[in-house]
Amino acid sequence: MKHPSNLHIEDFNYELPNEKIAKYPLEQRDQSKLLIYGGPGFSGGAEPKSGELGAKTENGVSIRESIYANIADELPQDSLLVFNDTKVVEARLLFQKPTGGVIELFCLEPADQYADITTAMLQKGSVQWKCLVGGAKKWKEGAVVLEVKGLKILANKVEILPDCFLIEFSWEPAGISFAEVLHIAGDIPLPPYLNRETEEADKERYQTIYAKHDGSVAAPTAGLHFTEQVFNELEKKKIQKGYVTLHVGAGTFKPVKAAQMKDHEMHAEFIDVQKSTIEQLLAHVSKGIIAVGTTSLRTLESLYWIGVKTIHNPSVAAADLSVSQWEPYENAAENLANRKEFSAEESLAALIQWMEKNKAERIITKTQIIIAPGYTFRIIRALVTNFHQPQSTLLLLISAIVGDDWRRIYEYALTHDYRFLSYGDGSILWVSPASAALQQ
């Protein structure tokens, strides 16, 4: 495996005209356009049945067109689609100073004292949270107040952190959870590149229909295109659904300012995966696992490396299961030197065994994994995803899947009226054989 730390981010640039950015979603979720790169036969399986031939890349891989309503036609029977069931929270709160000025607090993640986001969301009466503060210079001391719908919330600065503030929230009535406080008093935080205020319609459209666990400040946008009708079509074809949880942090929008990736620190995010889901993954490795969204993909590939940890150290503590930024590349290099590469089946089976030994029904940890060219995919065969910003870590992930063909794919999308970014159209990208580990 090549180490991606020496990649130059300028090599992953393209011109994205403002008019190509979808400011609003389509009225019908599943009518969004779907670009298909390759097909099940690209990674093993039957050839796809639908879609018009659009073009071929320089590597001879087909690019075709369809819509999300027909996505079941593009996936092999008995494959497994894995969704991220995180729920976007109303993370923007507008407080008033005693002098009348407004302070905006953007809730990023809970204080380190909480084991996970769910625990912090369920706190009643008070909680500490890491926040960005708009107008921080005007907030000298004392509490700021927000009163809405019979709820009174106080916010106090506790500590200035390197990139944000530690804020203590307290509220009356104290018997409701912090998640409920946000639902009552907060606003959905739209991506900054939409450059508009949140509207009433966004509360429903900037949320997947299967969103379940409060904790994200951004939607797993590939999932926004799925409807109950699409799910019915998947069921008819015996395509299975699985769910993982990765709470998307504001770091997903963090620009890569370093010239080389070795100087960019990837954001860490909470993942939460049920043992039953890992068993489901183990049963489908040979049949084909498709990640819906980059967050699902990062979770699935992180599970592989967590499983490898349990192989190397069956007594590893739960607190040590997190995946750091470059860890997969270092481990892969070590495996190559020792001529021992663990299969996805071996890793997932070891992880299940570790969970049984530790009487754990869920894996809750953090992942900082960065997936970039040179990465070998262990779990997934394909990715369903939107079109991403230039010079972003998400575009690096796309390049890891399709290689230099990312340029041809994005050029095709730009010249064929595809809508870009969170509310835009999407694609199915099948992992090239060069980027996939042999499935055993």
Side-chain angles (χ1 to χ4, degrees):
M1 181 188 290
K2 300 174 185 176
H3 203 293
S5 60
N6 293 320
L7 291 172
H8 289 79
I9 195 62
E10 65 183 13
D11 293 332
F12 299 87
N13 196 15
Y14 71 94
E15 186 174 345
L16 177 59
N18 188 59
E19 63 269 19
K20 295 293 183 181
I21 299 173
K23 296 294 195 297
Y24 292 90
L26 296 183
E27 186 174 340
Q28 292 181 268
R29 294 173 183 261
D30 58 14
Q31 295 304 300
S32 295
K33 296 173 72 171
L34 182 66
L35 180 150
I36 302 104
Y37 170 86
F42 198 40
S43 293
E47 288 299 321
K49 297 177 181 178
S50 74
E52 296 296 326
L53 180 64
K56 282 187 178 290
T57 68
E58 293 180 2
N59 294 329
V61 182
S62 67
I63 294 175
R64 299 173 298 103
E65 294 194 23
S66 186
I67 60 174
Y68 273 86
N70 300 328
I71 194 170
D73 294 334
E74 301 297 333
L75 305 173
Q77 186 171 316
D78 293 327
S79 56
L80 174 66
L81 272 179
V82 180
F83 299 85
N84 181 6
D85 63 4
T86 187
K87 189 173 185 178
V88 182
V89 296
E90 295 87 344
R92 291 178 65 236
L93 295 164
L94 297 178
F95 284 80
Q96 194 165 31
K97 298 191 302 176
T99 56
V102 174
I103 300 293
E104 178 180 332
L105 299 185
F106 188 114
C107 300
L108 297 175
E109 62 178 50
D112 295 337
Q113 69 199 64
Y114 304 105
D116 56 75
I117 287 182
T118 301
T119 300
M121 280 290 179
L122 294 177
Q123 295 299 303
K124 295 181 178 181
S126 67
V127 72
Q128 290 191 355
W129 215 266
K130 297 176 184 178
C131 299
L132 298 177
V133 178
K137 292 182 179 178
K138 301 176 184 177
W139 185 10
K140 300 301 182 183
E141 59 184 22
V144 290
V145 182
L146 171 57
E147 295 189 67
V148 59
K149 297 179 182 178
L151 179 66
K152 183 176 181 179
I153 314 166
L154 300 180
N156 279 285
K157 285 187 290 187
V158 176
E159 184 181 352
I160 300 175
L161 302 174
D163 298 317
C164 60
F165 291 80
L166 183 61
I167 303 295
E168 181 168 30
F169 295 99
S170 58
W171 57 90
E172 290 289 345
I176 64 174
S177 69
F178 187 58
E180 293 172 286
V181 167
L182 293 179
H183 290 324
I184 294 169
D187 283 327
I188 290 285
L190 289 183
Y193 47 67
L194 292 186
N195 198 27
R196 66 174 177 84
E197 289 298 313
T198 303
E199 299 178 13
E200 189 64 29
D202 294 311
K203 294 180 181 180
E204 183 262 334
R205 286 297 278 113
Y206 196 61
Q207 200 82 264
T208 63
I209 66 167
Y210 48 83
K212 187 176 182 181
H213 302 291
D214 288 308
S216 281
V217 300
T221 54
L224 295 178
H225 306 287
F226 286 82
T227 61
E228 290 297 344
Q229 181 60 36
V230 171
F231 281 173
N232 290 338
E233 294 301 316
L234 293 171
E235 188 174 350
K236 287 178 186 177
K237 197 173 175 181
K238 297 183 179 178
I239 295 167
Q240 305 297 311
K241 301 191 301 293
Y243 296 93
V244 297
T245 306
L246 180 146
H247 292 302
V248 188
T252 192
F253 301 117
K254 181 181 178 182
V256 179
K257 296 181 179 179
Q260 282 187 291
M261 293 310 298
K262 65 182 180 182
D263 297 318
H264 175 77
E265 184 177 3
M266 192 69 175
H267 53 288
E269 293 165 312
F270 278 102
I271 61 173
D272 186 340
V273 185
Q274 300 281 343
K275 179 186 167 198
S276 58
T277 300
I278 300 171
E279 292 169 337
Q280 190 181 25
L281 294 172
L282 180 57
H284 281 84
V285 167
S286 61
K287 299 174 184 177
I289 297 171
I290 297 103
V292 177
T294 57
T295 56
S296 298
L297 186 154
R298 292 178 64 239
T299 303
L300 293 173
E301 293 296 320
S302 295
L303 289 175
Y304 171 84
W305 294 106
I306 293 171
V308 169
K309 283 179 187 277
T310 67
I311 293 174
H312 286 308
N313 180 11
S315 300
V316 62
D320 296 325
L321 292 180
S322 60
V323 180
S324 62
Q325 179 166 333
W326 302 117
E327 189 175 339
Y329 304 92
E330 294 158 359
N331 284 350
E334 182 180 339
N335 291 344
L336 184 63
N338 295 331
R339 297 185 179 181
K340 178 56 180 175
E341 172 74 23
F342 299 106
S343 69
E345 287 91 342
E346 289 174 312
S347 172
L348 293 172
L351 182 52
I352 292 168
Q353 187 176 14
W354 180 91
M355 295 180 77
E356 289 173 346
K357 177 183 174 182
N358 289 274
K359 297 180 172 55
E361 290 301 318
R362 301 156 65 196
I363 289 287
I364 302 175
T365 188
K366 278 190 169 185
T367 182
Q368 199 183 13
I369 191 172
I370 182 169
I371 295 179
Y375 185 86
T376 300
F377 292 90
R378 268 69 178 194
I379 302 290
I380 67 122
R381 294 282 188 91
L383 170 67
V384 179
T385 190
N386 286 25
F387 295 95
H388 303 291
Q389 288 182 295
Q391 299 193 73
S392 63
T393 57
L394 299 180
L395 194 54
L396 289 175
L397 185 152
I398 300 306
S399 182
I401 293 175
V402 302
D404 291 339
D405 273 352
W406 76 264
R407 290 189 177 278
R408 185 69 184 91
I409 293 166
Y410 274 58
E411 178 187 350
Y412 184 94
L414 285 166
T415 55
H416 287 76
D417 297 323
Y418 280 73
R419 304 161 77 246
F420 276 58
L421 307 185
S422 294
Y423 271 149
D425 299 311
S427 61
I428 304 177
L429 307 175
W430 289 87
V431 177
S432 68
S435 299
L438 291 174
Q439 305 289 343
Q440 297 181 9

